[in-house]
Amino acid sequence: MGAAHSLEVRRLTAADTDWAAAIFAANARDNLTEEQQRTGGFVQGRIDADMISGRVAGPASVVALADGVGVGVVLTAGADEYKQGPPGLAVEAAREAGLTDFFLYGPGVVDAGHRGRGVLRAMKDEVIRLAASEEAGYRWAVGFVEHTNEASMAAHAKTGWQSVATFEFKGRPYDVIAHPVG
């Protein structure tokens, strides 16, 4: 497995936006081969520095640093921030499935060289810890993953997420995934 690395997971700050945008871009579907998409998963949508900056104040947006270098990001948003597209459809489907008091989790990404080392689990655990505070008042984290993103579906299942609903957008099926908070 190689040498041990120091992993720090903390809240996302404005100073993280440039390196976080680079990791998202490197893992965007359009920037990966089909084999890379199949084995490592992919990021859906266009995630740039402006979008990331808007998530600094998200309910529990976090970053992971290995030996001080950014290697992972999970963005979060309030459930009512999106009314259309896959995020809006995920919110609608989660509500139809009976979930209340939730926030949107994702997108999330881990640098290819740091996958399989517990980075996603550590970020998910910190997101849940932050969202579980009494002031936050959340009961659920809700995300969505395109069915063809098998690597992401497997990684989320491995870290305790469960499918609660499905929807389709532009001919692509998605799972709505949820994780209890608290």
Side-chain angles (χ1 to χ4, degrees):
M1 181 161 219
H5 294 280
S6 166
L7 185 68
E8 173 192 5
V9 178
R10 62 163 171 75
R11 280 193 178 271
L12 172 72
T13 69
D16 299 316
T17 56
D18 288 338
W19 68 259
I23 290 177
F24 276 113
N27 290 280
R29 177 200 319 257
D30 294 343
N31 295 334
L32 299 173
T33 66
E34 285 185 23
E35 177 66 10
Q36 289 170 318
Q37 290 175 34
R38 187 184 64 72
T39 59
F42 55 88
V43 174
Q44 301 157 182
R46 183 173 161 258
I47 314 299
D48 60 18
D50 287 340
M51 193 268 207
I52 295 167
S53 292
R55 296 293 165 252
V56 168
S61 296
V62 300
V63 295
L65 303 145
D67 299 325
V69 176
V71 298
V73 185
V74 171
L75 303 178
T76 62
D80 292 327
E81 290 186 44
Y82 292 98
K83 303 293 184 204
Q84 56 190 341
L89 292 168
V91 167
E92 181 181 322
R95 287 184 174 140
E96 288 174 4
L99 298 183
T100 61
D101 303 323
F102 64 87
F103 64 95
L104 280 174
Y105 170 100
V109 66
V110 175
D111 177 71
H114 289 82
R115 292 186 188 137
R117 298 183 184 181
V119 176
L120 180 64
R121 180 178 299 278
M123 289 191 300
K124 184 270 300 181
D125 289 349
E126 182 64 2
V127 166
I128 297 302
R129 187 190 73 75
L130 292 168
S133 72
E134 224 175 275
E135 340 38 280
Y138 293 108
R139 296 178 59 213
W140 295 96
V142 170
F144 59 93
V145 180
E146 187 177 327
H147 283 196
T148 60
N149 199 343
E150 294 174 15
S152 181
M153 294 285 286
H156 284 91
K158 187 177 174 181
T159 58
W161 294 83
Q162 294 188 345
S163 179
V164 296
T166 60
F167 67 88
E168 190 172 295
F169 182 73
K170 294 188 177 181
R172 293 182 174 156
Y174 291 79
D175 265 57
V176 178
I177 57 174
H179 194 290
V181 171

